[in-house]
Amino acid sequence: MATTFEVKGLKETLDVFEQLRVDIGDKKAKSKILVPAAREAMQPVLNQAVQNAPVDTGGLRLSLQVEARR
């Protein structure tokens, strides 16, 4: 008794992966996805760091920022 199966949608899945590869790009390319996603993901961390920073002169609090790049 042989078992057979059929996979549907594999080409579409591979097309999506290819589009992600194009969007993300290599290290020399400007990322359309990773950099903005990293910047947005780190925003809560920045907010918490600003809240927890000591306020002697306020300089540390003002200097905190999120920087994301490839």
Side-chain angles (χ1 to χ4, degrees):
M1 178 177 189
T3 302
T4 62
F5 61 92
E6 182 180 352
V7 176
K8 294 183 179 184
L10 188 57
K11 181 187 179 325
E12 291 81 5
T13 302
L14 292 175
D15 289 344
V16 169
F17 283 139
E18 176 62 19
Q19 187 59 47
L20 277 174
R21 186 191 68 77
V22 170
D23 289 346
I24 292 171
D26 61 6
K27 291 185 178 187
K28 295 178 184 175
K30 298 288 185 193
S31 177
K32 299 175 189 173
I33 294 176
L34 288 180
V35 171
R39 189 177 296 118
E40 184 176 337
M42 291 304 294
Q43 198 60 45
V45 176
L46 174 63
N47 294 341
Q48 194 66 37
V50 168
Q51 287 180 351
N52 292 334
V55 187
D56 293 330
T57 65
L60 175 61
R61 188 172 278 188
L62 292 173
S63 69
L64 294 174
Q65 63 183 14
V66 171
E67 186 174 323
R69 54 186 148 157
R70 289 284 289 185

